[in-house]
Amino acid sequence: MSEHVKVSVDGGVMEILIDRPEKKNALTNAMYDAMVDALASAAARDDVRVVLIGSTGEDFTTGNDLNDFAKVAMGGEARAWGFIQAIAKFEKPLVAAVPGLAVGVGMTMLLHCDLVYVAQEAKLSAPFAQLALVPEAASSMLLPARIGHAKAFEIFTLGTPVTGEGAVVLGLANAVTPRGDEIRAARAACAKLAKQSVGALMATKALMRDTAPVLERMQREGEIFQRRLKSAAAREAFTAFLERRAPDFEGLD
Ligand code: COA
């Protein structure tokens, strides 16, 4: 349970709304846990055929709460792993609505969604190297496969954001809309999917997504990510964010 994740079911569709707009919907451990519980419930319930992941406010999510990452660097726990595994293993259609910022896992989770609707104001970015980290959620495999190595490397290292229109051009999203309409477009798609045979939808998704190599890549990424989270360079990146200054990686690996 988290007050920052709203879950509802109606007409065969479960909506999971990330709801922490005052922190740009940054994801805490409790929020990941709530989303994992929601996905488990959606998988088990016959009255849920499709899941929509959206948000309240102007942003989708700015990714992992960097305060939580800073705690992991000091020996705490990262609960993002449970969530990215759950989303990769989820067998029913996943539809996303992205009104604004989608940073880090906010962008990489979209690679596990089957339909993605973005606002013109959407800004997708995954600047892992700038935080002294590495890509996660199998994005080191899925993003270059989707958009090519050069673009993916640029996103991971230079941190170049993808606009709403760019997301459609690159094949990361289905459609771009004026802000506010992306959730309506996602809901309309969900309503259509919810009227179809759930067996056919799940079989189609299973044929299109090869989960085993994705989970294997996540495992490899996870081992490196955990090590990097505890590195002096990552600690510097998180401290710099909290102190609202640019990081200084001089002499740090
Ligand atoms: N973790 C923790 N807090 C976050 C956050 C995150 N990922 N993203 C935003 N916030 C918080 C800010 O600390 C701020 O809190 P405050 O009002 O208590 O100071 C609030 O949300 C608003 O964000 P702010 O940074 O003031 O907005 P901005 O428009 O100036 O900048 C970003 C927006 C996205 C550029 C900036 O918030 C950012 O870089 N966030 C971190 C993104 C990131 O690196 N995510 C992890 C990827 S692995």
Side-chain angles (χ1 to χ4, degrees), residues 91 198-208:
E91 293 176 338
V198 72
L201 292 173
M202 288 170 71
T204 301
K205 177 165 178 163
L207 286 166
M208 292 175 68

Side-chain angles (χ1 to χ4, degrees), residues 163-180:
T163 62
E165 270 176 28
V168 174
V169 171
L170 287 172
L172 293 167
N174 295 79
V176 58
T177 68
R179 186 182 260 161

Side-chain angles (χ1 to χ4, degrees), residues 84-150:
I84 57 179
Q85 290 213 351
I87 203 170
K89 289 180 187 165
F90 191 70
E91 293 176 338
K92 294 175 184 174
L94 277 169
V95 179
V98 180
L101 292 172
V103 188
V105 74
M107 177 174 188
T108 59
M109 77 167 87
L110 301 178
L111 298 165
H112 299 275
C113 294
D114 303 297
L115 295 171
V116 177
Y117 296 90
V118 293
Q120 279 152 359
E121 293 80 355
K123 221 168 148 187
L124 280 49
S125 65
F128 294 110
Q130 293 183 350
L131 289 167
L133 299 173
V134 293
E136 35 69 316
S139 62
S140 63
M141 181 172 89
L142 297 174
L143 192 63
R146 188 82 69 88
I147 69 173
H149 178 91

Side-chain angles (χ1 to χ4, degrees), residues 26 30 40 55 68 73 85 180 183 187 208:
S55 58
D68 278 4
Q85 290 213 351
I183 186 88
R187 283 179 177 141
M208 292 175 68

Side-chain angles (χ1 to χ4, degrees), residues 24 26 43-44 48 51 53 78 80-81 103 196 210 218:
K24 299 199 171 283
V48 176
V51 171
I53 302 184
W81 311 123
V103 188
Q196 296 176 21
D210 199 359
M218 279 184 185

